[in-house]
Amino acid sequence: MKRIFSGMQSTGQLHLGNYLGALRNWVKLQQDYECFYGVMDLHAITVAQDPKKLAQNTREVAAAFYAAGIDPKRCAVYPQSAVPEHTYLNWILNNHTPLGWLNRMTQFKEKASKNKDQEVLGLYAYPVLMAADILIYKATHVPVGEDQKQHLELSRDIAGAFNRHYGVDYFPLPEPQIMGEATRVMSLRDGTKKMSKSDESDYSRINLTDDADAIATKIKKAKTDTLPFPATLDELKTRAEADNLVTIYATLNNEAKEAVVNRFAGKTFSEFKTSLIEVAVANLAPITKRMADYMADPAEIDRMILKSLFRAREVAEKNMKEIKQIVGLWSAD
Ligand code: TYM
């Protein structure tokens, strides 16, 4: 059986990178896989969160999943903290994760270097919890953006280490699914930096809650270079900001980058941006509208979460029993 697990942190607003790099692919994949999509609130608290806002952010991320087209009848959508087996398995896997493997994680190095005095164990151990998120369901596939690739390789290594240690073939080695062109959407202000929630400038990203005016302003202000619109794909490759905008255009419009380059070659960036604004608003406005509708009724989001949460709990509890047996932990049944 092909089973997917993936998740997004519940740290404030989702952006176009989350949508194009992951969520949009999740919607497509739900046809062919059994899917578990988590709102990762335990990962979110590895950096300080406002307790008054965290649960609301969790609902907002769930609302974004539904608004983008995740069908809660097909997929389990739930907060990570609502299935305690994630953290239970996390502890077990800690004992199969050499520190040397964690020391190689580039995302930790980047985050920790920004906050030298505030490094916490949770941030360091973050990828082991990720491995537990995936392995507690024995998921075979994990659709993510490019930035999660190294963490998924670690998950495979940890799964292999566990299997070898206990002489079992229990955990499948999960396959990363890094799909399409927009696997790494870049900042609108700097084509060398990833689009990210933590960027200080709101102009660097398009949020899934932005209205049409905000999207238009951000695209108009998006950095480009002074040269005319690139004439070929090869030329595009050497121009980071233009490449990013063409990638966004092509992905939203379901076409190849080459088709976009051919259409706009010889035109101005301003003509291209006018068209990009149309494409972005046409694709994102319906999602934003549906998200706002869900957010107007948070109790309904909770009911929707509860309706699919039981499926995640069922699988996690069953697997945890088997894992406890493999490890030799006491159990009365
Ligand atoms: P998070 O919340 O940072 O991002 C959620 C998803 O969005 C993708 N993404 C991007 N894709 C393209 N361009 C970008 N600029 C961009 N920014 C983010 C991410 O690759 C991700 O797929 N650690 C994970 C959450 C997580 C998880 C897991 C994922 C926890 N446990 C187990 C998979 C499996 C994270 O912080 O994603």
Side-chain angles (χ1 to χ4, degrees):
M1 183 200 36
K2 294 190 297 181
R3 182 180 279 168
I4 278 180
F5 178 86
S6 199
M8 295 207 183
Q9 289 195 66
S10 51
T11 39
Q13 294 167 336
L14 297 188
H15 54 68
L16 189 62
N18 299 127
Y19 179 60
L20 295 182
L23 186 50
R24 201 166 170 273
N25 298 329
W26 298 2
V27 175
K28 290 185 195 142
L29 291 162
Q30 68 184 336
Q31 313 296 336
D32 300 322
Y33 293 78
E34 182 189 15
C35 297
F36 295 83
Y37 293 130
V39 183
M40 312 317 275
D41 49 357
L42 296 173
H43 277 109
I45 62 169
T46 54
V47 294
Q49 300 293 328
D50 178 350
K52 292 195 199 79
K53 292 202 187 128
L54 182 58
Q56 203 57 4
N57 288 342
T58 299
R59 290 186 187 95
E60 187 177 291
V61 173
F65 291 5
Y66 301 137
I70 299 291
D71 177 355
K73 291 200 195 80
R74 275 179 188 273
C75 311
V77 171
Y78 56 91
Q80 180 187 30
S81 61
V83 183
E85 285 77 9
H86 288 236
T87 42
Y88 195 159
L89 180 58
N90 180 189
W91 181 257
I92 293 174
L93 297 181
N94 280 343
N95 304 299
H96 299 282
T97 310
L99 295 185
W101 292 0
L102 289 178
N103 289 339
R104 288 208 297 267
M105 295 296 113
T106 51
Q107 210 168 74
F108 173 73
K109 286 185 204 159
E110 281 161 22
K111 286 194 186 171
S113 65
K114 283 188 203 145
N115 275 309
K116 272 213 164 56
D117 311 334
Q118 290 160 32
E119 285 169 33
V120 290
L121 178 59
L123 199 58
Y124 184 62
Y126 181 113
V128 192
L129 178 57
M130 271 186 71
D133 299 330
I134 299 164
L135 298 177
I136 191 64
Y137 302 103
K138 300 175 80 174
T140 52
H141 292 82
V142 190
V144 286
E146 167 77 33
D147 61 338
Q148 296 301 320
K149 194 167 173 228
Q150 194 187 32
H151 287 158
L152 293 195
E153 280 159 9
L154 182 78
S155 297
R156 289 170 64 89
D157 289 344
I158 295 174
F162 178 97
N163 287 346
R164 273 194 308 281
H165 181 86
Y166 293 104
V168 291
D169 188 17
Y170 187 74
F171 290 127
L173 304 190
E175 286 285 342
Q177 290 172 304
I178 300 176
M179 297 164 62
E181 296 276 12
T183 56
R184 190 173 172 83
V185 178
M186 307 308 277
S187 155
L188 300 180
R189 307 299 289 161
D190 177 350
T192 63
K193 264 169 60 184
K194 190 179 70 169
M195 184 178 284
S196 145
K197 289 174 202 172
S198 55
D199 196 311
E200 276 164 25
S201 167
D202 196 50
Y203 286 108
S204 69
R205 62 186 161 260
I206 293 175
N207 302 306
L208 291 188
T209 48
D210 284 346
D211 62 16
D213 286 346
I215 293 176
T217 311
K218 288 176 178 180
I219 292 178
K220 277 187 203 145
K221 276 183 182 278
K223 190 177 163 201
T224 49
D225 50 41
T226 52
L227 299 169
F229 196 86
T232 64
L233 267 188
D234 279 342
E235 191 187 340
L236 186 68
K237 277 189 203 133
T238 62
R239 296 170 57 187
E241 281 85 12
D243 192 7
N244 189 39
L245 294 180
V246 168
T247 303
I248 292 172
Y249 190 118
T251 309
L252 283 172
N253 220 23
N254 290 313
E255 57 182 338
K257 277 159 76 167
E258 191 165 16
V260 179
V261 170
N262 291 341
R263 182 148 10 107
F264 289 95
K267 302 212 165 123
T268 62
F269 268 109
S270 137
E271 283 170 290
F272 168 74
K273 282 183 171 181
T274 305
S275 184
L276 175 57
I277 291 167
E278 273 170 31
V279 168
V281 170
N283 275 275
L284 300 177
I287 299 176
T288 309
K289 160 86 175 64
R290 283 195 292 272
M291 249 178 100
D293 290 346
Y294 282 117
M295 287 307 285
D297 189 358
E300 174 60 12
I301 299 177
D302 290 349
R303 281 192 291 275
M304 288 174 76
I305 288 174
L306 286 172
K307 270 191 199 153
S308 68
L309 171 62
F310 80 94
R311 274 186 254 150
R313 284 194 171 150
E314 206 169 73
V315 175
E317 278 171 23
K318 174 182 164 288
N319 290 347
M320 199 61 226
K321 269 196 185 145
E322 292 169 359
I323 296 163
K324 281 177 73 175
Q325 259 182 5
I326 293 171
V327 175
L329 296 171
W330 177 86
S331 160
D333 39 84

